[in-house]
Amino acid sequence: MIVFVRHGQTAVNAAGQLQGRVDRELTDLGLTQAGRLAQSLRGAPVARVVTSPLRRAADTARVIADGLGLDIEIDDRLVELDYGEWDQRAFSEIAAAEWDAWRADPKFAPPGGESLVDVTARVASFCDEQLGPELVVAVSHVSPIKGAVCLALGVDERASFRMHLDIASITRIDRRGSDGPAFIASYNETSHLTTSLGSA
């Protein structure tokens, strides 16, 4: 099983801006969210913690891995979609025609950026390699996680626009048998964010 984790909050998230390859640290709330994620996964038989190279994901992963007594592994396939010229811009700043084109065509890429099809291709490679009997935590971002969900559901990337994925959420994807189809075991878990950290 792969436990996909979306990273904790950054200032760019808090400002409601698109956040692709811009590399920002976690806010204080983001660090608290990472701690809650770590607590929720503590005691699980996690074999490895793999993360996107971007700081917001790697810092979230490090808190989780520390709680499990593991090291983190960097995997570039988990990096967020490259928004190109759209990066760190508010949704309202994107021209309506461009936004509509992006939602209608998975092969559309923002100027200087990357398409959803490109993201799905690298996530498919990651899932093919990592889905198995071991429990793997993968700390990533909205577009790669939604891409993995689309793959498991057997739908194209346009379905991702009908999904909401919270910051610091957990989504679990598993496989039936050694070579069976993938399936969604859970999506957008957030209960850990509202439970007490206790003494952790």
Side-chain angles (χ1 to χ4, degrees), residues 62-81:
R62 196 166 288 109
V63 174
I64 293 169
D66 286 349
L68 295 166
L70 298 171
D71 294 323
I72 63 170
E73 303 172 27
I74 304 295
D75 194 314
D76 290 340
R77 293 174 293 184
L78 295 174
V79 74
E80 178 60 295
L81 180 145

Side-chain angles (χ1 to χ4, degrees), residues 165-180:
L165 191 71
D166 285 299
I167 292 170
S169 62
I170 292 172
T171 295
R172 303 172 195 264
I173 296 179
D174 207 348
R175 186 189 298 281
R176 301 191 190 281
S178 59
D179 58 357

Side-chain angles (χ1 to χ4, degrees), residues 44-65:
V46 177
R48 300 194 341 273
V49 178
V50 189
T51 181
S52 155
L54 294 175
R55 188 187 317 175
R56 58 191 185 270
D59 286 352
T60 302
R62 196 166 288 109
V63 174
I64 293 169

Side-chain angles (χ1 to χ4, degrees), residues 70-171:
L70 298 171
D71 294 323
I72 63 170
E73 303 172 27
I74 304 295
D75 194 314
D76 290 340
R77 293 174 293 184
L78 295 174
V79 74
E80 178 60 295
L81 180 145
D82 186 350
Y83 284 106
E85 294 177 14
W86 291 4
D87 215 349
Q88 212 170 338
R89 292 171 63 184
F91 293 96
S92 60
E93 295 176 22
I94 308 302
E98 287 186 308
W99 193 258
D100 290 344
W102 189 37
R103 292 171 65 95
D105 181 6
K107 294 181 180 178
F108 174 88
E114 179 184 29
S115 73
L116 290 172
V117 167
D118 292 334
V119 175
T120 302
R122 54 183 164 81
V123 172
S125 169
F126 178 83
C127 290
D128 286 344
E129 180 182 296
Q130 301 296 336
L131 266 178
E134 289 187 334
L135 185 61
V136 176
V137 171
V139 184
S140 189
H141 310 267
V142 169
S143 296
I145 296 173
K146 287 185 175 182
V149 170
C150 287
L151 287 164
L153 294 175
V155 297
D156 77 27
E157 293 82 358
R158 285 171 292 186
S160 67
F161 293 107
R162 295 177 178 265
M163 304 175 197
H164 173 77
L165 191 71
D166 285 299
I167 292 170
S169 62
I170 292 172
T171 295

